[in-house]
Amino acid sequence: MRICFWGDIASAINGNTKGGGQLQIALIAKLLAQCGHEVIVLDHETDVDFITSEGIRIVKIKGWDNGFRLIRTFTNRLPLLYRSLVDVKADIYYCRIRDFRHILAYWASRRCGGKFVLGIASDLDVADFRIRWKYTYTVHLHSLWDLVNGILSEVVYPFLLKKADMVLVQHEGQRQSLESKGQTSTIQYNLFNCENLPDESNERHNEFVYIGSLDKRKGFRELVDLIKMAPLYNYKVVGQPRDKTAALLFQELKAFNNVELLGRLSHSETMLVLSGARALISTSKWEGFPNIFLEAWAMGIPVISMYVDPGGIVKRNKLGYVARGNFKKMLTAMSETSYSEEFKIRSVNYVKRHHAVNGERINDLDCLFRSIGGNDCRTGLK
């Protein structure tokens, strides 16, 4: 089958991941290519057309920056993207990460007689508008484009959810949320490539580690409050401020002798820091299925989360602790958590059973996409 993806994805396929959503798209594209499917990625950020080592064809959307800056989205880019999508003539168009322009992929699928698949990348995608307003639109509106995309996505996404040939969610909580709205969906757990773990590891396990963007939605203020409440622990913070409040808090933390602010690191550097953690701290209020959780568990690092527990997995599988917004419970969990081989065995086994890229997982993905395309599933891929 011919399967089409679009967006800023080529860099993630080449190993320069900009976010968790792009990472998952890149993994799916690579595995589908490995299964023998013809995979095409339309990318407006790449410099040239090329074919990856996996056989994925990266196609630059040429002429993307033509036209007058303030109006070229509607006069040039949207028509150009639609024509490019139609020209692919894909059997399946796969879209993920909230963007109103996915409707062009839906229209292209209908024009070409293909299927349209919508992947959910965050719990916010299935939440009520008031929650998105609080944790997305009041936090990430940094440009006119953010405003336009936000408004149009609110119109387009309910339509796409209803019209998609399949909606893929990351965990049971997202599935139940959509079911309560009368929408069916299928769980496709986030994929994890164990080859991305560091060859060497830091065995200190002394510090609590935070990894992620520093802003309101990720709970940076809560992290700072937590550090003030527990000054006897050591902390490492990986990430950069993304708003003015976070920048002020970041400056404030520079005065703390027990906090090491590492800024933005490469993926390999980040994994080395994480490998030596006592636990991974998460204060984010809304996520999908954080890839950083999988990376922590794959190295035997517990997760202590202020709010997020994707589909109840942390509690059900004893992979750390979820405080449900309670600082006292968070502090108790921190005092009781330490690195152990027993936990490592449990967490690594969880990742291997549900997320690790292996023959079984590749077969499952192949069967899923073949079923969407109306083809028989094949088995036995090694």
Side-chain angles (χ1 to χ4, degrees), residues 19 21 30 202 289:
K30 289 181 179 181
N202 181 345
F289 199 128

Side-chain angles (χ1 to χ4, degrees), residues 72-135:
R72 65 187 177 191
T73 291
F74 298 97
T75 60
N76 178 63
R77 290 180 174 178
L78 294 182
L80 181 61
L81 176 57
Y82 176 67
R83 290 195 301 269
S84 300
L85 289 163
V86 170
D87 287 345
V88 172
K89 296 181 174 60
D91 298 296
I92 296 176
Y93 292 84
Y94 177 96
C95 292
R96 185 179 181 134
I97 305 173
R98 195 176 186 88
D99 194 312
F100 82 90
R101 293 171 294 183
H102 292 331
I103 197 168
L104 301 178
Y106 168 76
W107 285 338
S109 72
R110 294 306 180 253
R111 179 168 176 177
C112 298
K115 303 293 185 180
F116 176 77
V117 178
L118 183 64
I120 298 301
S122 169
D123 291 354
L124 285 169
D125 290 341
V126 299
D128 294 334
F129 171 75
R130 60 181 179 82
I131 294 174
R132 280 194 299 279
W133 174 260
K134 183 176 181 180
Y135 293 107

Side-chain angles (χ1 to χ4, degrees), residues 13 15 23 26 39 67 79 215 248 280 327 370:
I13 291 175
L23 173 62
V39 177
D215 58 29
L248 293 173
L280 174 71
F327 276 98
R370 286 180 181 275

